[in-house]
Amino acid sequence: MNGEHAVVLPADATSDDRGERLAALFDAHEDRLYRLARRLAATADDARDLVQDTFLRAAKSPRSVPVGLAKEEAWLVRVLVNIRRDQWRRTAVRTRSAATLRADVTTYPSNVESALIAKRTVWAALDRLHPRRRAIVVMHELEGMSPSTIASLLGVSGMTVRWHLSMGRRDLKRVLMPHIGDTI
């Protein structure tokens, strides 16, 4: 923050007013967000991208940005941190997937084709699930998260997570059954 005060506008403000608010948010918080992003990102370019993505989120949903200098900053910081965590997760998944693919290729050279077909089939089946159910199944079955951890991350009850797991497994079985036959 550079000491300037944010422009507080009503939630039903016009497009020009929202643009002014976004500009005021940028002026008031960009320096602080960049310093934080620079500590979280490997390069200055990545840090600038993080800040830009943060303000893009604010521009997409200006009504979700709370009013008040401290509340605005807290919201923007939380968005920036969440964006960075999503990037870390994507990187970790890609790294694990690449390692899994390399391990499969080196461990089972005669079954490379069948392993790739099986992976494609499973991922195609996962893609047919409802997004929330797919996320819960992937977090539990592939990332090893407990239902209580998933519940706290998604802001739902543990019972809801267990229900989605049960329904997701049932749906996957139904979709995969023609590919596997009676082995399940």
Side-chain angles (χ1 to χ4, degrees), residues 109-179:
S110 62
N111 294 328
V112 172
E113 185 177 351
S114 62
L116 289 174
I117 291 170
K119 282 181 183 179
R120 283 189 187 145
T121 304
V122 170
W123 280 106
L126 284 168
D127 285 341
R128 293 181 65 182
L129 296 178
H130 183 273
R132 175 175 278 193
R133 188 166 294 160
R134 178 178 54 236
I136 289 172
V137 169
V138 167
M139 284 190 276
H140 182 72
E141 299 295 341
L142 300 180
E143 295 184 14
M145 292 183 178
S146 69
S148 59
T149 302
I150 296 168
S152 65
L153 280 173
L154 298 180
V156 298
S157 72
M159 182 63 74
T160 300
V161 170
R162 287 189 294 278
W163 180 80
H164 277 293
L165 280 171
S166 175
M167 294 295 105
R169 289 172 180 148
R170 183 203 65 194
D171 293 346
L172 286 173
K173 181 178 179 181
R174 181 181 41 79
V175 170
L176 292 173
M177 188 61 78
H179 299 284

Side-chain angles (χ1 to χ4, degrees), residues 29-101:
H29 303 289
E30 186 268 339
D31 290 338
R32 163 78 172 97
L33 291 176
Y34 177 75
R35 287 192 308 271
L36 174 62
R38 192 62 188 102
R39 289 183 179 98
L40 296 174
T43 66
D45 287 337
D46 290 343
R48 283 190 287 274
D49 288 345
L50 270 174
V51 172
Q52 180 179 4
D53 289 344
T54 301
F55 283 106
L56 279 173
R57 292 254 177 104
K60 286 180 185 175
S61 56
R63 291 180 184 197
S64 63
V65 180
V67 177
L69 200 60
K71 291 179 182 177
E72 292 168 353
E73 182 178 5
W75 187 88
L76 290 166
V77 165
R78 174 56 38 210
V79 168
L80 185 136
V81 168
N82 286 342
I83 290 170
R84 186 63 183 136
R85 285 173 48 203
D86 290 344
Q87 291 172 346
W88 283 328
R89 282 188 198 118
R90 278 193 298 274
T91 301
V93 168
R94 286 183 184 129
T95 302
R96 282 194 307 266
S97 296
T100 302
L101 285 174

